[in-house]
PDB file of all heavy atoms in Angstrom:
ATOM      1  N   PHE A 256     -18.205  27.695  17.280  1.00 95.00           N
ATOM      2  CA  PHE A 256     -19.020  26.655  16.643  1.00 95.00           C
ATOM      3  C   PHE A 256     -19.191  25.478  17.605  1.00 95.00           C
ATOM      4  O   PHE A 256     -20.297  24.962  17.790  1.00 95.00           O
ATOM      5  CB  PHE A 256     -18.358  26.168  15.337  1.00 95.00           C
ATOM      6  CG  PHE A 256     -19.023  24.949  14.751  1.00 95.00           C
ATOM      7  CD1 PHE A 256     -20.111  25.081  13.903  1.00 95.00           C
ATOM      8  CD2 PHE A 256     -18.589  23.667  15.083  1.00 95.00           C
ATOM      9  CE1 PHE A 256     -20.757  23.953  13.385  1.00 95.00           C
ATOM     10  CE2 PHE A 256     -19.221  22.533  14.576  1.00 95.00           C
ATOM     11  CZ  PHE A 256     -20.304  22.684  13.721  1.00 95.00           C
ATOM     12  N   THR A 257     -18.088  25.066  18.215  1.00 96.00           N
ATOM     13  CA  THR A 257     -18.130  23.865  19.065  1.00 96.00           C
ATOM     14  C   THR A 257     -18.994  24.083  20.297  1.00 96.00           C
ATOM     15  O   THR A 257     -19.754  23.197  20.696  1.00 96.00           O
ATOM     16  CB  THR A 257     -16.697  23.445  19.453  1.00 96.00           C
ATOM     17  OG1 THR A 257     -15.998  23.227  18.241  1.00 96.00           O
ATOM     18  CG2 THR A 257     -16.682  22.186  20.284  1.00 96.00           C
ATOM     19  N   LYS A 258     -18.873  25.262  20.892  1.00 95.00           N
ATOM     20  CA  LYS A 258     -19.691  25.539  22.077  1.00 95.00           C
ATOM     21  C   LYS A 258     -21.179  25.503  21.696  1.00 95.00           C
ATOM     22  O   LYS A 258     -21.999  24.915  22.406  1.00 95.00           O
ATOM     23  CB  LYS A 258     -19.320  26.890  22.680  1.00 95.00           C
ATOM     24  CG  LYS A 258     -18.033  26.854  23.499  1.00 95.00           C
ATOM     25  CD  LYS A 258     -18.223  26.013  24.746  1.00 95.00           C
ATOM     26  CE  LYS A 258     -17.106  26.196  25.754  1.00 95.00           C
ATOM     27  NZ  LYS A 258     -17.302  25.363  26.950  1.00 95.00           N
ATOM     28  N   ALA A 259     -21.518  26.111  20.563  1.00 96.00           N
ATOM     29  CA  ALA A 259     -22.921  26.118  20.128  1.00 96.00           C
ATOM     30  C   ALA A 259     -23.372  24.705  19.751  1.00 96.00           C
ATOM     31  O   ALA A 259     -24.508  24.299  20.026  1.00 96.00           O
ATOM     32  CB  ALA A 259     -23.089  27.069  18.950  1.00 96.00           C
ATOM     33  N   PHE A 260     -22.467  23.931  19.153  1.00 97.00           N
ATOM     34  CA  PHE A 260     -22.728  22.531  18.784  1.00 97.00           C
ATOM     35  C   PHE A 260     -23.057  21.726  20.053  1.00 97.00           C
ATOM     36  O   PHE A 260     -24.024  20.959  20.092  1.00 97.00           O
ATOM     37  CB  PHE A 260     -21.476  21.994  18.078  1.00 97.00           C
ATOM     38  CG  PHE A 260     -21.487  20.532  17.720  1.00 97.00           C
ATOM     39  CD1 PHE A 260     -22.029  20.097  16.516  1.00 97.00           C
ATOM     40  CD2 PHE A 260     -20.907  19.590  18.571  1.00 97.00           C
ATOM     41  CE1 PHE A 260     -22.005  18.747  16.175  1.00 97.00           C
ATOM     42  CE2 PHE A 260     -20.877  18.249  18.229  1.00 97.00           C
ATOM     43  CZ  PHE A 260     -21.428  17.822  17.032  1.00 97.00           C
ATOM     44  N   CYS A 261     -22.241  21.929  21.101  1.00 97.00           N
ATOM     45  CA  CYS A 261     -22.481  21.211  22.367  1.00 97.00           C
ATOM     46  C   CYS A 261     -23.859  21.608  22.932  1.00 97.00           C
ATOM     47  O   CYS A 261     -24.598  20.757  23.444  1.00 97.00           O
ATOM     48  CB  CYS A 261     -21.388  21.549  23.385  1.00 97.00           C
ATOM     49  SG  CYS A 261     -19.814  20.799  23.000  1.00 97.00           S
ATOM     50  N   GLU A 262     -24.169  22.876  22.841  1.00 96.00           N
ATOM     51  CA  GLU A 262     -25.451  23.365  23.357  1.00 96.00           C
ATOM     52  C   GLU A 262     -26.624  22.726  22.582  1.00 96.00           C
ATOM     53  O   GLU A 262     -27.574  22.230  23.175  1.00 96.00           O
ATOM     54  CB  GLU A 262     -25.490  24.883  23.178  1.00 96.00           C
ATOM     55  CG  GLU A 262     -26.242  25.624  24.247  1.00 96.00           C
ATOM     56  CD  GLU A 262     -25.954  27.132  24.162  1.00 96.00           C
ATOM     57  OE1 GLU A 262     -25.898  27.699  23.049  1.00 96.00           O
ATOM     58  OE2 GLU A 262     -25.787  27.725  25.233  1.00 96.00           O
ATOM     59  N   ARG A 263     -26.472  22.726  21.230  1.00 97.00           N
ATOM     60  CA  ARG A 263     -27.543  22.157  20.375  1.00 97.00           C
ATOM     61  C   ARG A 263     -27.790  20.690  20.683  1.00 97.00           C
ATOM     62  O   ARG A 263     -28.906  20.218  20.587  1.00 97.00           O
ATOM     63  CB  ARG A 263     -27.133  22.232  18.889  1.00 97.00           C
ATOM     64  CG  ARG A 263     -27.302  23.556  18.227  1.00 97.00           C
ATOM     65  CD  ARG A 263     -27.316  23.433  16.709  1.00 97.00           C
ATOM     66  NE  ARG A 263     -26.095  22.978  16.076  1.00 97.00           N
ATOM     67  CZ  ARG A 263     -24.996  23.692  15.915  1.00 97.00           C
ATOM     68  NH1 ARG A 263     -24.958  24.916  16.375  1.00 97.00           N
ATOM     69  NH2 ARG A 263     -23.938  23.191  15.294  1.00 97.00           N
ATOM     70  N   HIS A 264     -26.707  19.965  20.987  1.00 97.00           N
ATOM     71  CA  HIS A 264     -26.832  18.515  21.097  1.00 97.00           C
ATOM     72  C   HIS A 264     -26.716  18.001  22.529  1.00 97.00           C
ATOM     73  O   HIS A 264     -26.663  16.784  22.743  1.00 97.00           O
ATOM     74  CB  HIS A 264     -25.793  17.843  20.190  1.00 97.00           C
ATOM     75  CG  HIS A 264     -25.979  18.185  18.744  1.00 97.00           C
ATOM     76  ND1 HIS A 264     -27.001  17.654  17.982  1.00 97.00           N
ATOM     77  CD2 HIS A 264     -25.312  19.054  17.942  1.00 97.00           C
ATOM     78  CE1 HIS A 264     -26.929  18.163  16.747  1.00 97.00           C
ATOM     79  NE2 HIS A 264     -25.922  19.005  16.698  1.00 97.00           N
ATOM     80  N   GLY A 265     -26.669  18.905  23.480  1.00 97.00           N
ATOM     81  CA  GLY A 265     -26.672  18.490  24.890  1.00 97.00           C
ATOM     82  C   GLY A 265     -25.394  17.824  25.358  1.00 97.00           C
ATOM     83  O   GLY A 265     -25.415  16.987  26.264  1.00 97.00           O
ATOM     84  N   LEU A 266     -24.246  18.176  24.769  1.00 98.00           N
ATOM     85  CA  LEU A 266     -22.972  17.605  25.231  1.00 98.00           C
ATOM     86  C   LEU A 266     -22.475  18.414  26.431  1.00 98.00           C
ATOM     87  O   LEU A 266     -22.482  19.646  26.392  1.00 98.00           O
ATOM     88  CB  LEU A 266     -21.912  17.663  24.112  1.00 98.00           C
ATOM     89  CG  LEU A 266     -21.904  16.484  23.129  1.00 98.00           C
ATOM     90  CD1 LEU A 266     -23.164  16.456  22.297  1.00 98.00           C
ATOM     91  CD2 LEU A 266     -20.689  16.560  22.224  1.00 98.00           C
ATOM     92  N   PRO A 267     -22.020  17.734  27.483  1.00 98.00           N
ATOM     93  CA  PRO A 267     -21.606  18.465  28.688  1.00 98.00           C
ATOM     94  C   PRO A 267     -20.339  19.292  28.482  1.00 98.00           C
ATOM     95  O   PRO A 267     -19.311  18.776  28.063  1.00 98.00           O
ATOM     96  CB  PRO A 267     -21.365  17.354  29.718  1.00 98.00           C
ATOM     97  CG  PRO A 267     -21.154  16.109  28.923  1.00 98.00           C
ATOM     98  CD  PRO A 267     -21.902  16.273  27.635  1.00 98.00           C
ATOM     99  N   THR A 268     -20.435  20.579  28.760  1.00 97.00           N
ATOM    100  CA  THR A 268     -19.275  21.478  28.681  1.00 97.00           C
ATOM    101  C   THR A 268     -19.546  22.688  29.564  1.00 97.00           C
ATOM    102  O   THR A 268     -20.660  22.823  30.100  1.00 97.00           O
ATOM    103  CB  THR A 268     -18.982  21.884  27.221  1.00 97.00           C
ATOM    104  OG1 THR A 268     -17.736  22.598  27.169  1.00 97.00           O
ATOM    105  CG2 THR A 268     -20.076  22.760  26.630  1.00 97.00           C
ATOM    106  N   GLY A 269     -18.576  23.595  29.712  1.00 95.00           N
ATOM    107  CA  GLY A 269     -18.768  24.759  30.563  1.00 95.00           C
ATOM    108  C   GLY A 269     -19.559  25.862  29.862  1.00 95.00           C
ATOM    109  O   GLY A 269     -19.683  25.879  28.633  1.00 95.00           O
ATOM    110  N   ALA A 270     -20.059  26.810  30.681  1.00 94.00           N
ATOM    111  CA  ALA A 270     -20.789  27.962  30.130  1.00 94.00           C
ATOM    112  C   ALA A 270     -19.813  28.827  29.330  1.00 94.00           C
ATOM    113  O   ALA A 270     -18.600  28.777  29.538  1.00 94.00           O
ATOM    114  CB  ALA A 270     -21.371  28.776  31.276  1.00 94.00           C
ATOM    115  N   TYR A 271     -20.347  29.626  28.400  1.00 94.00           N
ATOM    116  CA  TYR A 271     -19.472  30.420  27.534  1.00 94.00           C
ATOM    117  C   TYR A 271     -20.192  31.640  26.979  1.00 94.00           C
ATOM    118  O   TYR A 271     -21.428  31.707  26.990  1.00 94.00           O
ATOM    119  CB  TYR A 271     -18.973  29.572  26.353  1.00 94.00           C
ATOM    120  CG  TYR A 271     -20.048  29.319  25.317  1.00 94.00           C
ATOM    121  CD1 TYR A 271     -20.031  30.010  24.095  1.00 94.00           C
ATOM    122  CD2 TYR A 271     -21.099  28.441  25.553  1.00 94.00           C
ATOM    123  CE1 TYR A 271     -21.022  29.812  23.149  1.00 94.00           C
ATOM    124  CE2 TYR A 271     -22.097  28.244  24.613  1.00 94.00           C
ATOM    125  CZ  TYR A 271     -22.049  28.926  23.416  1.00 94.00           C
ATOM    126  OH  TYR A 271     -23.032  28.740  22.491  1.00 94.00           O
ATOM    127  N   VAL A 272     -19.370  32.583  26.482  1.00 94.00           N
ATOM    128  CA  VAL A 272     -19.900  33.757  25.777  1.00 94.00           C
ATOM    129  C   VAL A 272     -18.958  34.011  24.598  1.00 94.00           C
ATOM    130  O   VAL A 272     -17.747  33.846  24.732  1.00 94.00           O
ATOM    131  CB  VAL A 272     -19.890  35.001  26.709  1.00 94.00           C
ATOM    132  CG1 VAL A 272     -20.245  36.253  25.933  1.00 94.00           C
ATOM    133  CG2 VAL A 272     -20.852  34.824  27.857  1.00 94.00           C
ATOM    134  N   VAL A 273     -19.507  34.379  23.446  1.00 93.00           N
ATOM    135  CA  VAL A 273     -18.689  34.711  22.275  1.00 93.00           C
ATOM    136  C   VAL A 273     -18.833  36.209  22.004  1.00 93.00           C
ATOM    137  O   VAL A 273     -19.953  36.716  21.971  1.00 93.00           O
ATOM    138  CB  VAL A 273     -19.170  33.933  21.026  1.00 93.00           C
ATOM    139  CG1 VAL A 273     -18.290  34.255  19.817  1.00 93.00           C
ATOM    140  CG2 VAL A 273     -19.202  32.443  21.288  1.00 93.00           C
ATOM    141  N   CYS A 274     -17.716  36.920  21.829  1.00 93.00           N
ATOM    142  CA  CYS A 274     -17.776  38.373  21.588  1.00 93.00           C
ATOM    143  C   CYS A 274     -16.830  38.776  20.457  1.00 93.00           C
ATOM    144  O   CYS A 274     -15.765  38.173  20.281  1.00 93.00           O
ATOM    145  CB  CYS A 274     -17.339  39.139  22.829  1.00 93.00           C
ATOM    146  SG  CYS A 274     -18.318  38.782  24.288  1.00 93.00           S
ATOM    147  N   GLU A 275     -17.236  39.831  19.749  1.00 92.00           N
ATOM    148  CA  GLU A 275     -16.361  40.391  18.710  1.00 92.00           C
ATOM    149  C   GLU A 275     -15.814  41.748  19.144  1.00 92.00           C
ATOM    150  O   GLU A 275     -14.942  42.306  18.498  1.00 92.00           O
ATOM    151  CB  GLU A 275     -17.143  40.571  17.407  1.00 92.00           C
ATOM    152  CG  GLU A 275     -17.501  39.248  16.775  1.00 92.00           C
ATOM    153  CD  GLU A 275     -18.301  39.400  15.502  1.00 92.00           C
ATOM    154  OE1 GLU A 275     -18.395  40.524  14.972  1.00 92.00           O
ATOM    155  OE2 GLU A 275     -18.836  38.375  15.057  1.00 92.00           O
ATOM    156  N   ASP A 276     -16.358  42.244  20.231  1.00 91.00           N
ATOM    157  CA  ASP A 276     -16.033  43.588  20.671  1.00 91.00           C
ATOM    158  C   ASP A 276     -15.382  43.526  22.068  1.00 91.00           C
ATOM    159  O   ASP A 276     -15.877  42.828  22.961  1.00 91.00           O
ATOM    160  CB  ASP A 276     -17.365  44.377  20.717  1.00 91.00           C
ATOM    161  CG  ASP A 276     -17.168  45.728  21.329  1.00 91.00           C
ATOM    162  OD1 ASP A 276     -16.663  46.607  20.619  1.00 91.00           O
ATOM    163  OD2 ASP A 276     -17.490  45.888  22.530  1.00 91.00           O
ATOM    164  N   ALA A 277     -14.265  44.246  22.232  1.00 93.00           N
ATOM    165  CA  ALA A 277     -13.497  44.134  23.473  1.00 93.00           C
ATOM    166  C   ALA A 277     -14.293  44.614  24.692  1.00 93.00           C
ATOM    167  O   ALA A 277     -14.267  43.960  25.747  1.00 93.00           O
ATOM    168  CB  ALA A 277     -12.192  44.916  23.353  1.00 93.00           C
ATOM    169  N   ALA A 278     -15.026  45.722  24.538  1.00 94.00           N
ATOM    170  CA  ALA A 278     -15.770  46.255  25.683  1.00 94.00           C
ATOM    171  C   ALA A 278     -16.847  45.259  26.117  1.00 94.00           C
ATOM    172  O   ALA A 278     -17.036  44.993  27.326  1.00 94.00           O
ATOM    173  CB  ALA A 278     -16.404  47.596  25.316  1.00 94.00           C
ATOM    174  N   GLU A 279     -17.500  44.674  25.120  1.00 94.00           N
ATOM    175  CA  GLU A 279     -18.550  43.677  25.399  1.00 94.00           C
ATOM    176  C   GLU A 279     -17.928  42.439  26.087  1.00 94.00           C
ATOM    177  O   GLU A 279     -18.471  41.902  27.058  1.00 94.00           O
ATOM    178  CB  GLU A 279     -19.142  43.288  24.035  1.00 94.00           C
ATOM    179  CG  GLU A 279     -20.390  42.455  24.026  1.00 94.00           C
ATOM    180  CD  GLU A 279     -20.611  41.899  22.600  1.00 94.00           C
ATOM    181  OE1 GLU A 279     -20.280  42.586  21.605  1.00 94.00           O
ATOM    182  OE2 GLU A 279     -21.091  40.772  22.523  1.00 94.00           O
ATOM    183  N   ALA A 280     -16.752  42.037  25.607  1.00 94.00           N
ATOM    184  CA  ALA A 280     -16.083  40.859  26.176  1.00 94.00           C
ATOM    185  C   ALA A 280     -15.669  41.126  27.623  1.00 94.00           C
ATOM    186  O   ALA A 280     -15.834  40.267  28.494  1.00 94.00           O
ATOM    187  CB  ALA A 280     -14.870  40.493  25.331  1.00 94.00           C
ATOM    188  N   LYS A 281     -15.160  42.342  27.869  1.00 94.00           N
ATOM    189  CA  LYS A 281     -14.723  42.663  29.233  1.00 94.00           C
ATOM    190  C   LYS A 281     -15.921  42.707  30.179  1.00 94.00           C
ATOM    191  O   LYS A 281     -15.851  42.236  31.313  1.00 94.00           O
ATOM    192  CB  LYS A 281     -13.964  43.995  29.239  1.00 94.00           C
ATOM    193  CG  LYS A 281     -12.589  43.855  28.608  1.00 94.00           C
ATOM    194  CD  LYS A 281     -11.890  45.187  28.474  1.00 94.00           C
ATOM    195  CE  LYS A 281     -10.660  45.046  27.595  1.00 94.00           C
ATOM    196  NZ  LYS A 281     -10.008  46.317  27.316  1.00 94.00           N
ATOM    197  N   ALA A 282     -17.026  43.232  29.688  1.00 94.00           N
ATOM    198  CA  ALA A 282     -18.235  43.275  30.518  1.00 94.00           C
ATOM    199  C   ALA A 282     -18.732  41.853  30.796  1.00 94.00           C
ATOM    200  O   ALA A 282     -19.223  41.543  31.892  1.00 94.00           O
ATOM    201  CB  ALA A 282     -19.320  44.093  29.821  1.00 94.00           C
ATOM    202  N   ALA A 283     -18.545  40.972  29.808  1.00 93.00           N
ATOM    203  CA  ALA A 283     -19.020  39.576  29.956  1.00 93.00           C
ATOM    204  C   ALA A 283     -18.250  38.830  31.051  1.00 93.00           C
ATOM    205  O   ALA A 283     -18.733  37.818  31.571  1.00 93.00           O
ATOM    206  CB  ALA A 283     -18.902  38.838  28.625  1.00 93.00           C
ATOM    207  N   LEU A 284     -17.064  39.334  31.416  1.00 95.00           N
ATOM    208  CA  LEU A 284     -16.290  38.674  32.483  1.00 95.00           C
ATOM    209  C   LEU A 284     -17.080  38.663  33.789  1.00 95.00           C
ATOM    210  O   LEU A 284     -16.868  37.803  34.647  1.00 95.00           O
ATOM    211  CB  LEU A 284     -14.935  39.373  32.686  1.00 95.00           C
ATOM    212  CG  LEU A 284     -13.922  39.239  31.544  1.00 95.00           C
ATOM    213  CD1 LEU A 284     -12.706  40.126  31.801  1.00 95.00           C
ATOM    214  CD2 LEU A 284     -13.470  37.778  31.379  1.00 95.00           C
ATOM    215  N   ASP A 285     -18.021  39.636  33.942  1.00 94.00           N
ATOM    216  CA  ASP A 285     -18.871  39.699  35.148  1.00 94.00           C
ATOM    217  C   ASP A 285     -19.618  38.398  35.390  1.00 94.00           C
ATOM    218  O   ASP A 285     -19.966  38.062  36.508  1.00 94.00           O
ATOM    219  CB  ASP A 285     -19.950  40.786  34.982  1.00 94.00           C
ATOM    220  CG  ASP A 285     -19.351  42.174  35.116  1.00 94.00           C
ATOM    221  OD1 ASP A 285     -18.201  42.272  35.593  1.00 94.00           O
ATOM    222  OD2 ASP A 285     -20.046  43.145  34.729  1.00 94.00           O
TER     223      ASP A 285
END
Side-chain angles (χ1 to χ4, degrees):
F256 171 86
T257 302
K258 282 293 193 181
F260 175 87
C261 288
E262 213 167 41
R263 281 199 295 286
H264 299 286
L266 274 66
T268 188
Y271 73 105
V272 172
V273 182
C274 302
E275 291 179 12
D276 173 78
E279 190 194 326
K281 287 174 191 174
L284 292 173
D285 286 346

